[in-house]
C-alpha cells in the first residue's frame, strides 16, 4: 500500500513537472520578441527569417551586388574592415566559422534580433526552429567546446575568447544565440514563464507598435532617442541627417513583400507640432511623365526657397570677384599673348562677361510678400542635339494663396524662364521642360492625405545619368561605383515616398515598383 502510494505521488510529481516545463511549448506560443530582455537599441523581427534569407541568397540582386564595383569599394571601407574584424573575433570565440551555411542552419521561421550595443555588437537572437534542425547545426555540434550553464531549468552553453563571448541554448522549438550569457539566461527564464520585463515593455517599443499597423514580413523597431547618441550612428548612418532624427523618440518600419515591395514607417515625435497640410497631388499633376525626379511639399517657416531656386535654376553660381591686395604672380614660362602657343584666345570678340550684377533680392522680396502653400521641384535628363552630352534641367513651381503678378522678377539670364498661371509661379532653365509643366496646369489632381511626395524614376533616369557619369568620370568612381549600384537594382523602375505629418507622428510609405 505504501509502495503504491509512493509510486502515485512520484507519478503526480512527474506529471506536474512535465506540465510545468512543457507549458511554454504548448498552446499558442508567445512571440519570440517576448523572450528578449529590455534595454535594446533596436529590434529586427521576421515572420519567416529562413524564407527571407533563402530568397536573398537566390536573388539576382545578391549576385550583381557581390560582383559590383560598389561592393568592391565597400569591402575596402573602414566600416567593412571593422565588421570583418568583429566577425573574425566571433569566429574565434565560437570555435567555428559563422559562414552562410551556418546562418542558414540556424535561421528559423519567426525570429527576432535585438541589438544592445552598436560599438561592441552586443546582440540577442531568438528563432523558432524545429528541434531536429537545431540539433543538426554546427552550433549545436560545437557545444562540447563550451562551458555549461543553467537558467530557468534549461542548460545553455558559453564560450569566451579574446574578449568576445558566444552563448546559446536550444529549448523546445527555440534557438537562442547571444554575445552575453545573461541575455541567454534572461531569455530562458522568460521562456519558462517567469514574470520579468521584456523589450516589449520598454516605452519606445510599446509606443511604436501601438502606433503602427499589423506587422509586415520584416519589422524594425528603433529606440531613436538612444540610437542617435551613439558615435557609430553619427559616423555611419548613410543619410547623414542626425539633426532631423533627433526630433523623434522612436520609430518603426514594416516591409511588406509581394509583387512589389512596400515599406511603412511611423516616427514618433518628441514634441507635437501642427499637422502638415495635405493635398500636394495638386502639384504632382504638373510633373511630366518622363521626369527623372520630383518632390512636392509645403514649405516650412523660414525655409530658404530662394536659395533652392538659386542652386537648381541659376547654377552654377558665379562667384564674386576676389579683390587681391598683393601683386599677381607672374608666370615666367607663360607664352606671349598672340603667340603660336596661345591660339585658343579669341581676339575677334570680347570675353564673356560675368553676371556680377545677378541679384536674387527681387525674387526674395516677391517670396516674402507671398504666402506659399506648396513647392514642387522637378529635375530630369535632357540629351543635347549632339546626342553625346546630357543636361539636367530643373523646374521649381511655387503655389501661393493669391495669384502672382507677372512679371514677378527679372534675372537677366537668357536661359532662365518664368511663367505665371494664377496662383502658380513656374521658374525653369529649360524651355521644353517649362512647356511640359504649363501644358499640365489644367489637369485634375488625385486627392490624397499626403503632406509631401518624393519620387525617383530609376528606369527612366538611368540611361541619361549613366551618360553624365561617363562624361564626368576621371577616377572610375561614377561609372564603376555609382553606376554599378544602379545596375544592382535595375528591376526597380520607380521609388516613391509619401509622407503624412499628423502632428504627433509622421507616417511614411515607400513603394519600390
Amino acid at each position: 500500500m505504501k509502495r503504491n502510494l509512493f509510486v502515485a505521488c512520484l507519478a503526480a510529481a512527474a506529471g506536474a513537472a512535465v506540465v510545468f516545463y512543457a507549458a511554454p511549448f504548448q498552446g499558442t506560443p508567445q512571440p519570440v520578441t517576448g523572450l528578449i530582455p529590455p534595454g535594446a537599441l533596436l529590434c529586427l523581427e521576421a515572420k519567416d527569417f529562413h524564407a527571407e534569407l533563402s530568397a536573398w541568397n537566390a536573388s539576382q540582386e545578391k549576385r550583381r551586388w557581390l560582383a559590383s564595383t560598389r561592393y568592391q569599394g565597400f569591402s575596402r571601407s573602414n566600416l567593412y574592415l571593422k565588421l570583418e574584424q568583429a566577425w573574425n573575433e566571433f569566429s574565434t570565440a565560437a570555435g567555428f566559422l559563422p559562414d552562410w551555411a551556418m546562418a542558414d542552419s540556424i535561421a528559423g521561421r519567426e525570429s527576432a534580433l535585438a541589438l544592445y550595443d552598436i560599438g561592441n555588437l552586443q546582440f540577442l537572437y531568438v528563432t523558432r526552429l524545429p528541434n531536429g534542425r537545431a540539433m543538426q547545426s554546427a552550433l549545436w555540434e560545437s557545444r562540447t567546446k563550451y562551458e555549461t550553464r543553467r537558467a530557468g531549468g534549461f542548460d545553455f552553453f558559453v564560450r569566451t575568447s579574446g574578449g568576445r563571448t558566444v552563448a546559446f541554448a536550444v529549448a523546445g522549438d527555440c534557438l537562442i544565440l547571444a554575445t552575453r550569457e545573461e541575455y541567454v539566461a534572461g531569455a530562458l527564464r522568460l521562456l519558462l514563464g517567469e514574470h520579468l520585463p521584456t523589450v516589449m515593455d520598454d516605452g519606445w517599443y510599446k509606443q511604436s507598435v501601438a502606433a503602427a499597423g499589423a506587422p509586415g514580413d520584416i519589422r524594425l523597431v528603433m529606440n531613436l532617442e538612444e540610437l542617435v547618441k551613439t558615435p557609430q550612428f553619427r559616423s555611419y548612418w548613410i543619410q547623414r541627417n542626425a539633426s532631423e532624427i533627433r526630433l523623434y523618440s522612436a520609430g518603426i518600419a514594416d516591409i511588406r513583400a509581394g509583387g512589389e515591395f512596400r515599406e511603412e514607417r511611423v516616427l514618433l515625435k518628441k514634441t507635437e507640432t501642427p499637422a502638415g497640410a495635405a493635398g500636394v497631388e495638386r502639384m504632382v499633376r504638373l510633373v511630366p511623365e518622363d521626369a527623372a525626379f520630383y518632390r512636392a511639399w509645403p514649405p516650412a517657416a523660414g525655409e530658404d526657397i530662394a536659395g533652392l531656386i538659386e542652386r537648381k535654376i541659376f547654377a552654377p553660381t558665379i562667384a564674386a570677384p576676389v579683390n587681391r591686395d598683393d601683386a599677381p604672380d607672374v608666370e615666367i614660362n607663360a607664352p606671349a599673348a598672340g603667340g603660336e602657343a596661345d591660339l585658343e584666345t579669341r581676339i575677334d570678340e570680347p570675353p564673356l562677361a560675368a553676371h556680377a550684377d545677378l541679384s536674387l533680392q527681387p525674387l526674395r522680396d516677391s517670396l516674402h510678400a507671398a504666402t506659399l502653400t506648396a513647392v514642387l521641384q522637378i529635375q530630369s535628363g535632357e540629351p543635347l542635339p549632339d546626342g553625346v552630352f546630357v543636361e539636367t534641367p530643373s523646374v521649381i513651381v511655387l503655389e501661393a494663396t493669391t495669384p502672382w503678378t507677372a512679371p514677378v522678377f527679372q534675372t537677366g539670364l537668357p536661359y532662365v524662364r518664368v511663367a505665371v498661371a494664377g496662383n502658380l509661379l513656374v521658374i525653369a532653365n529649360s524651355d521644353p521642360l517649362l512647356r511640359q509643366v504649363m501644358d499640365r496646369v489644367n489637369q485634375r489632381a488625385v486627392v490624397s492625405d499626403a503632406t509631401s511626395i518624393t519620387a525617383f524614376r530609376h528606369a527612366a533616369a538611368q540611361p541619361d545619368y549613366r551618360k553624365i557619369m561617363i562624361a564626368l568620370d576621371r577616377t572610375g568612381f561614377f561609372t564603376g561605383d555609382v553606376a554599378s549600384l544602379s545596375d544592382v537594382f535595375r528591376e526597380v523602375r520607380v521609388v516613391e515616398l509619401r509622407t503624412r505629418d499628423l502632428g504627433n507622428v509622421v507616417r511614411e510609405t515607400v513603394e519600390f515598383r
Side-chain angles (χ1 to χ4, degrees):
M1 182 67 178
K2 290 182 179 180
R3 182 176 181 276
N4 291 340
L5 181 59
F6 173 77
V7 172
C9 291
L10 184 61
V18 169
V19 171
F20 180 72
Y21 285 107
F25 315 119
Q26 295 176 347
T28 303
Q30 64 188 109
V32 293
T33 314
L35 304 179
I36 295 177
L41 293 174
L42 59 83
C43 192
L44 180 65
E45 306 164 19
K47 289 182 176 179
D48 191 338
F49 181 45
H50 187 263
E52 301 292 347
L53 205 62
S54 299
W56 165 249
N57 192 38
S59 69
Q60 294 295 321
E61 285 77 12
K62 180 195 172 184
R63 179 184 60 79
R64 290 195 293 261
W65 164 246
L66 294 179
S68 69
T69 308
R70 175 79 278 268
Y71 175 77
Q72 300 306 316
F74 171 62
S75 66
R76 295 188 295 270
S77 69
N78 185 44
L79 174 59
Y80 183 95
L81 295 177
K82 285 188 174 183
L83 291 173
E84 185 177 45
Q85 178 184 352
W87 183 74
N88 289 329
E89 292 171 355
F90 284 129
S91 299
T92 302
F96 59 83
L97 189 66
D99 54 10
W100 183 268
M102 174 64 197
D104 183 70
S105 70
I106 63 171
R109 292 182 60 83
E110 184 193 2
S111 305
L113 173 71
L115 185 62
Y116 291 86
D117 184 325
I118 296 179
N120 294 311
L121 293 178
Q122 302 290 353
F123 68 85
L124 169 65
Y125 166 70
V126 183
T127 187
R128 293 203 180 278
L129 191 68
N131 193 275
R133 272 191 61 197
M135 299 296 184
Q136 295 172 3
S137 67
L139 182 63
W140 177 259
E141 292 175 355
S142 67
R143 70 190 184 283
T144 55
K145 304 175 185 178
Y146 287 60
E147 296 179 9
T148 303
R149 302 279 195 275
R150 192 166 182 83
F154 301 101
D155 287 338
F156 68 98
F157 308 94
V158 181
R159 193 170 191 265
T160 300
S161 177
R164 294 285 185 180
T165 296
V166 175
F168 75 93
V170 175
D173 67 343
C174 286
L175 184 146
I176 303 167
L177 173 66
T179 55
R180 294 177 63 172
E181 61 179 283
E182 54 264 39
Y183 295 159
V184 176
L188 290 174
R189 293 173 64 189
L190 288 165
L191 182 64
L192 189 64
E194 292 190 35
H195 295 290
L196 300 172
T198 73
V199 71
M200 299 175 71
D201 298 314
D202 284 345
W204 61 273
Y205 186 96
K206 186 184 299 184
Q207 294 166 14
S208 298
V209 170
D217 299 295
I218 299 175
R219 164 169 280 187
L220 176 64
V221 193
M222 300 161 284
N223 184 352
L224 295 177
E225 189 163 11
E226 295 301 321
L227 269 172
V228 78
K229 296 177 183 177
T230 63
Q232 293 79 20
F233 184 91
R234 295 192 296 271
S235 299
Y236 298 114
W237 180 242
I238 193 171
Q239 276 76 16
R240 302 291 185 182
N241 60 346
S243 59
E244 296 178 27
I245 298 297
R246 287 192 183 95
L247 301 175
Y248 306 101
S249 61
I252 188 169
D254 285 293
I255 295 181
R256 307 182 191 280
E260 298 175 348
F261 286 89
R262 187 172 76 257
E263 180 183 352
E264 297 173 353
R265 308 170 184 162
V266 180
L267 303 172
L268 308 183
K269 291 184 180 180
K270 291 181 181 178
T271 304
E272 186 170 352
T273 58
V280 291
E281 269 80 4
R282 64 183 181 274
M283 301 294 282
V284 173
R285 79 184 194 277
L286 303 174
V287 179
E289 297 292 340
D290 58 350
F293 169 84
Y294 63 86
R295 179 169 68 113
W297 74 99
E303 187 173 348
D304 188 12
I305 301 301
L308 173 67
I309 295 172
E310 180 180 17
R311 293 192 304 273
K312 294 299 180 181
I313 306 297
F314 300 151
T317 303
I318 299 174
V322 178
N323 295 321
R324 300 187 58 174
D325 296 328
D326 55 329
D329 297 329
V330 177
E331 293 186 42
I332 303 300
N333 298 320
E340 60 183 8
D342 191 31
L343 299 179
E344 297 301 322
T345 301
R346 300 294 297 264
I347 62 175
D348 58 340
E349 60 183 36
L352 294 175
H355 293 279
D357 59 341
L358 174 61
S359 173
L360 290 182
Q361 194 56 47
L363 172 61
R364 293 185 183 276
D365 292 340
S366 297
L367 297 182
H368 181 72
T371 302
L372 298 182
T373 54
V375 180
L376 172 66
Q377 174 191 344
I378 306 171
Q379 189 163 330
S380 194
E382 188 175 290
L384 294 176
D386 58 16
V388 178
F389 295 103
V390 177
E391 291 183 320
T392 55
S394 297
V395 173
I396 303 291
V397 184
L398 307 176
E399 181 189 66
T401 55
T402 57
W404 295 90
T405 302
V408 179
F409 69 99
Q410 298 292 336
T411 66
L413 298 178
Y415 58 84
V416 175
R417 296 290 183 267
V418 180
V420 171
N423 293 19
L424 298 177
L425 171 63
V426 185
I427 309 170
N429 54 16
S430 163
D431 275 329
L433 194 53
L434 177 70
R435 287 194 296 269
Q436 290 182 66
V437 171
M438 296 302 294
D439 288 344
R440 302 174 69 88
V441 167
N442 294 322
Q443 289 202 15
R444 180 177 298 179
V446 178
V447 179
S448 82
D449 57 358
T451 53
S452 70
I453 299 176
T454 304
F456 175 57
R457 292 168 173 163
H458 178 238
Q462 191 181 44
D464 289 335
Y465 280 97
R466 185 179 291 274
K467 277 191 175 183
I468 295 173
M469 292 172 189
I470 292 173
L472 293 175
D473 208 347
R474 291 296 180 271
T475 64
F477 174 76
F478 289 107
T479 52
D481 210 61
V482 178
S484 72
L485 184 61
S486 172
D487 187 61
V488 169
F489 299 103
R490 67 179 68 164
E491 273 78 23
V492 179
R493 296 180 295 106
V494 179
V495 181
E496 182 184 80
L497 166 65
R498 290 175 176 259
T499 301
R500 289 185 294 155
D501 187 346
L502 304 180
N504 60 338
V505 300
V506 173
R507 296 183 180 275
E508 297 181 340
T509 301
V510 188
E511 291 187 355
F512 301 86
R513 299 176 192 144

